Amino acid sequence: MITDVLKEIAISIGRMFLNPVFYIVILMAIFLGYRRVKRERKFFHIRILWGWSEAIGLLKEGLLISLIISIVSIVFGLTLPIQFLYVLSIASFIALIVYVFHLLSPIILFAVSIIILLIMNMQDWSFTFFGLTVNGIEVNEGASVTSAIIAGLLLVAEGLLIRKNGAKYASPIIEKTKRGLMAVAFLSKKVWVLPILFVVPGDALPAYFPWWPQFSLGADRFSLVLFPVILGFQQVTRHTLPVYLYPKLGRTVLILGELVIIGGLVAYFEPFIGLIVLIVGAVARIIVSIRFVIREQKDVYAVSAKSNGVMIAGVLPNSPAEKMGLGVGEIIRKVNGVEVHSERQLYEALQINAAHCRLEVLNHQNEVRLTQHVVHSGDHHRIGLLIAE
């Protein structure tokens, strides 16, 4: 039986490429990279990350998490009806098209999908999608239980991805404050694909695709489907530095995911609880997003021009600035012993010593530290800093 399951896993991997949402999200990732690079060049005349970074990280950054969730799904038999996966695909497609990535949280997509299927069952509705007839489901069929657990697992995945990658993709934006001064905000907008192996019960798939592999457990028959779960988030930060805000947001989402998993396990005793857990979890996730959005709407910017030095708004990867350990939100007070108060003064001071530069930096805790690095005579303009002025 193990051999048959492994064979079906191998075959089902290719089936993911039949889902049109997979290609739409690839195009969206490319578009996100294009928009980010265009925005950075508009404000700072240079890009921070390569334009294909979003597309490269689309699968790569969540691949290990996908594998873990797939193993849990198969080992514990967390089955999802094929109708649910089709509605989930449609919901993901709509969230991508409207370009509001708050809606791409898995708990929101799962809650919307299960509610739609329950309403379809109550109203005796059905529709045909790519030749497949989709009918509603009942609460007591168990889909609300397994969907709550899987949504919780995916919510944990979302929290981990935000915590690890949120600040990485935070792109600086120049804004005007209420007092008419220029300051820097940061936008992080990212989408991921998690290819998850789901166990689908019944003969719904073989009825339309006779070649689709199946395996049996007793009198029941199951199919394996590699499904591209779409995760996304967006968040603007002004009042808090990205290096602090996104890990905190990620931890909050992760804790919510753990609570949803616990609620899903409790729902095994009463399936209706699974539906309540999904709805409450979706509402809680929306509240988390709103809370962080409101918090960052304050007209107090963490990154803006300072009188005591030059504020760092961005650091280019693999640059001398990154190798010196400089970070967004730190203030450069002196360069080669010379006080600096503007970008022009900073680069003029860099030319004083062609061999290397010595910086006096005020870190996030307002503590002074010293750092230095080799800067070749012709490369002073490529130290890799974006300055808030």
Side-chain angles (χ1 to χ4, degrees), residues 100-310:
V100 180
F101 285 9
H102 296 296
L103 302 177
L104 282 172
S105 178
I107 188 67
I108 296 175
L109 293 175
F110 272 55
V112 169
S113 299
I114 202 75
I115 290 173
I116 289 174
L117 287 171
L118 291 174
I119 293 174
M120 288 176 60
N121 180 70
M122 289 187 293
Q123 300 296 326
D124 197 24
W125 293 341
S126 64
F127 67 91
T128 301
F129 182 70
F130 281 90
L132 294 171
T133 301
V134 179
N135 300 304
I137 60 175
E138 296 182 2
V139 176
N140 57 12
E141 289 180 357
S144 59
V145 177
T146 55
S147 60
I149 296 175
I150 294 174
L153 291 171
L154 291 170
L155 204 53
V156 169
E158 180 189 0
L160 291 173
L161 289 170
I162 293 174
R163 187 170 66 177
K164 183 178 179 181
N165 300 289
K168 173 184 175 182
Y169 292 98
S171 177
I173 305 170
I174 296 178
E175 295 183 342
K176 183 176 289 187
T177 68
K178 294 179 180 179
R179 293 181 294 174
L181 303 176
M182 305 307 292
V184 178
F186 297 87
L187 170 62
S188 190
K189 194 162 188 174
K190 188 67 173 69
V191 65
W192 295 280
V193 172
L194 270 60
I196 309 292
L197 271 172
F198 288 124
V199 182
V200 177
D203 297 317
L205 280 173
Y208 292 92
F209 306 113
W211 38 264
W212 199 286
Q214 277 197 312
F215 63 95
S216 300
L217 291 175
D220 298 321
R221 295 183 65 79
F222 301 88
S223 301
L224 287 174
V225 176
L226 188 65
F227 184 83
V229 176
I230 312 300
L231 301 185
F233 95 106
Q234 64 184 67
Q235 177 67 49
V236 175
T237 172
R238 298 178 179 89
H239 180 66
T240 310
L241 290 171
V243 70
Y244 298 121
L245 182 131
Y246 294 112
K248 186 172 183 179
L249 174 59
R251 285 193 297 271
T252 303
V253 174
L254 191 151
I255 292 172
L256 178 59
E258 293 173 344
L259 295 175
V260 171
I261 293 173
I262 294 173
L265 294 173
V266 174
Y268 266 110
F269 302 99
E270 176 52 58
F272 186 74
I273 295 177
L275 176 62
I276 301 301
V277 168
L278 284 171
I279 295 174
V280 172
V283 172
R285 181 64 183 90
I286 293 172
I287 291 174
V288 168
S289 294
I290 293 174
R291 177 173 169 266
F292 275 84
V293 168
I294 293 175
R295 174 182 175 180
E296 294 304 313
Q297 284 181 340
K298 298 178 181 179
D299 195 45
V300 179
Y301 287 77
V303 177
S304 60
K306 302 296 181 183
S307 59
N308 60 338
V310 174

Side-chain angles (χ1 to χ4, degrees), residues 318-325 336 350 353-359 371-376 383:
N318 303 315
S319 64
E322 184 183 63
K323 294 173 183 176
M324 283 188 283
N336 292 326
L350 283 173
N353 192 328
H356 66 276
C357 67
R358 297 185 303 275
L359 304 183
T371 183
Q372 62 182 12
H373 192 271
V374 174
V375 177
H376 300 291
I383 190 175

Side-chain angles (χ1 to χ4, degrees), residues 84-96:
F84 180 86
L85 296 182
Y86 281 122
V87 174
L88 181 60
S89 294
I90 297 172
S92 301
F93 170 78
I94 294 173
L96 283 169

